[in-house]
Amino acid sequence: MDKKRILVPGGAGYIGAHTVAALAAAGVETVVVDNLSTGFLEALPPEARFYQGDIRDKDFLDSVFEKERIHGVIHFAAFSQVGESMADPLKYYDNNLHGTRVLLSAMVDHGVKHIVFSSTAAVYGEPRHIPIQEGDPTEPTNAYGATKLAMENMMAWCARAYGLSYVSLRYFNACGAQKGGAIGEAHNPETHLIPLILQVPNGQRSHICIFGTDYPTRDGTCLRDYIHVMDLAQAHLLAMEYLLSGGKSDVFNLGNGVGFTVKEVIAAAEAVVGQKIPAQEAPRRPGDPAQLVASSQKARAILGWEPHHSGIEEILQDAWAWHRSHPRGYQSCARR
Ligand code: UDP
């Protein structure tokens, strides 16, 4: 990807910022566009050029495409909270679907042909079998997953009509942080399991709630495939290289292929932080499938992707290094 310039909408968010860091480390020129509604400027390395604005604003996007000669787009700009998507689906259709539509029309207008974008395991809904393969039925059980599936379909039609090529990356449970703890996961409000667990040893909550203990899993709690954010970041670089070298449009799962239950993640966190983490049983969270585990054989075979940080202990150690040094997320740092 030498001498290529990549536009990264949503590059100041969690997975976006880790991907921008990986692009910068690989010497790729990066242009970030973010409205900072959920992202943080402090998450960006100094090498990344930054434009604050909204992907739904076509004039704004046109001005960026005119100023910067862009070779490909890695698109993260979307809302991603399942619960919020159920309470306010129109907010999700507007940002995720309408935003992507405007972005695609800007790409078409400016002759940019390649796009890698964030999708999710939530496109599958309740899986029929484990591990989940890309050709399995897609029947989302929440509005967030429905908007991501609709984005995938929009890409497919646009690829046919306008000669675009795309890669859709269906992430399982993104977690962990860059080595060294300079950037990491920061959501407001936080809803994800690992950051919430680590708020207990950080003195910010008394206990973690376990949402549902009557699932058909080995200990009754939900089972998920936790994948390190730097492994996800690497997949975006490989996917963009694949498209730039003529690869055809496709969809890939990204996970480790190993599931951990909520109780197992809590126990692993206790071992990493060296203290007991009190847990309370709570009702199921609406829209949660019992288990989600990826088959990532296709990404391994076609993109040459290989997760390098797959142990749950390593994931928790990296997450803990970030949360412990940044108990209030990016509020306590200024990198730009
Ligand atoms: N979870 C939990 N307690 C919490 C937050 C999450 O038991 O305080 C469970 C949740 O029900 C799911 C798993 O942890 O089974 C992972 O949830 P998360 O929100 O991190 O990711 P998701 O699977 O929704 O993408």
Side-chain angles (χ1 to χ4, degrees):
M1 260 200 287
D2 250 11
K3 309 219 169 54
K4 297 291 184 208
R5 190 175 295 162
I6 304 299
L7 181 74
V8 189
Y14 172 43
I15 304 169
H18 285 78
T19 302
V20 170
L23 287 162
V28 179
E29 261 191 75
T30 308
V31 178
V32 172
V33 157
D34 202 298
N35 65 6
L36 299 181
S37 66
T38 57
F40 300 91
L41 198 50
E42 297 82 356
L44 293 176
E47 304 93 295
R49 278 206 287 290
F50 177 70
Y51 294 87
Q52 184 168 355
D54 196 298
I55 58 164
R56 289 163 290 190
D57 180 346
K58 178 73 164 41
D59 292 341
F60 163 68
L61 282 184
D62 281 339
S63 72
V64 176
F65 277 101
E66 274 154 26
K67 271 188 225 123
E68 307 280 356
R69 193 175 139 53
I70 300 295
H71 299 93
V73 176
I74 305 183
H75 172 33
F76 296 96
F79 292 135
S80 63
Q81 306 278 351
V82 169
E84 185 187 52
S85 80
M86 299 298 274
D88 193 359
L90 290 177
K91 178 175 173 180
Y92 277 64
Y93 276 88
D94 182 40
N95 195 30
N96 297 6
L97 210 49
H98 171 57
T100 300
R101 187 193 71 70
V102 178
L103 174 64
L104 287 173
S105 64
M107 287 177 62
V108 170
D109 289 351
H110 297 273
V112 178
K113 296 282 185 200
H114 311 296
I115 179 165
V116 174
F117 78 103
S118 313
S119 188
T120 168
V123 299
Y124 294 109
E126 192 71 54
R128 309 249 169 99
H129 60 86
I130 294 292
I132 302 170
Q133 291 177 321
E134 289 83 352
D136 287 352
T138 44
E139 296 162 342
T141 52
N142 55 62
Y144 164 62
T147 61
K148 288 284 176 168
L149 186 58
M151 283 164 65
E152 288 191 357
N153 289 330
M154 184 169 21
M155 295 281 170
W157 291 111
C158 289
R160 277 176 68 150
Y162 310 116
L164 302 182
S165 65
Y166 69 91
V167 161
S168 172
L169 297 175
R170 293 177 176 167
Y171 318 144
F172 282 61
N173 285 62
C175 49
Q178 192 187 38
K179 302 281 171 198
I183 58 173
E185 190 166 8
H187 299 110
N188 191 15
E190 189 51 76
T191 62
H192 294 104
L193 181 65
I194 290 177
L196 287 174
I197 289 174
L198 296 176
Q199 285 180 1
V200 179
N202 245 353
Q204 294 163 310
R205 77 174 44 237
S206 59
H207 63 276
I208 182 77
C209 287
I210 299 176
F211 296 150
T213 51
D214 60 348
Y215 284 100
T217 59
R218 49 185 175 254
D219 62 17
T221 66
C222 282
L223 184 131
R224 295 285 181 274
D225 185 336
Y226 293 90
I227 176 79
H228 198 293
V229 65
M230 291 312 296
D231 285 329
L232 290 182
Q234 207 51 45
H236 291 78
L237 271 68
L238 292 170
M240 182 50 76
E241 274 169 6
Y242 163 84
L243 290 178
L244 288 168
S245 56
K248 70 176 178 54
S249 298
D250 214 336
V251 175
F252 300 95
N253 287 341
L254 296 178
N256 280 310
V258 180
F260 292 93
T261 67
V262 174
K263 284 186 176 170
E264 289 166 350
V265 176
I266 296 170
E270 288 179 331
V272 165
V273 303
Q275 74 179 70
K276 176 99 192 113
I277 297 174
Q280 274 180 19
E281 297 187 359
R284 287 183 177 201
R285 190 173 67 174
D288 267 345
Q291 38 184 344
L292 291 172
V293 178
S295 162
S296 302
Q297 288 312 318
K298 194 174 159 188
R300 288 170 190 262
I302 297 179
L303 300 179
W305 179 68
E306 186 78 47
H308 291 293
H309 314 287
S310 51
I312 193 74
E313 296 78 17
E314 181 179 354
I315 286 170
L316 285 159
Q317 271 159 6
D318 292 346
W320 181 225
W322 155 254
H323 288 291
R324 179 191 213 171
S325 57
H326 297 80
R328 292 181 301 119
Y330 289 100
Q331 275 175 30
S332 46
C333 65
R335 298 180 69 224
R336 285 172 73 101

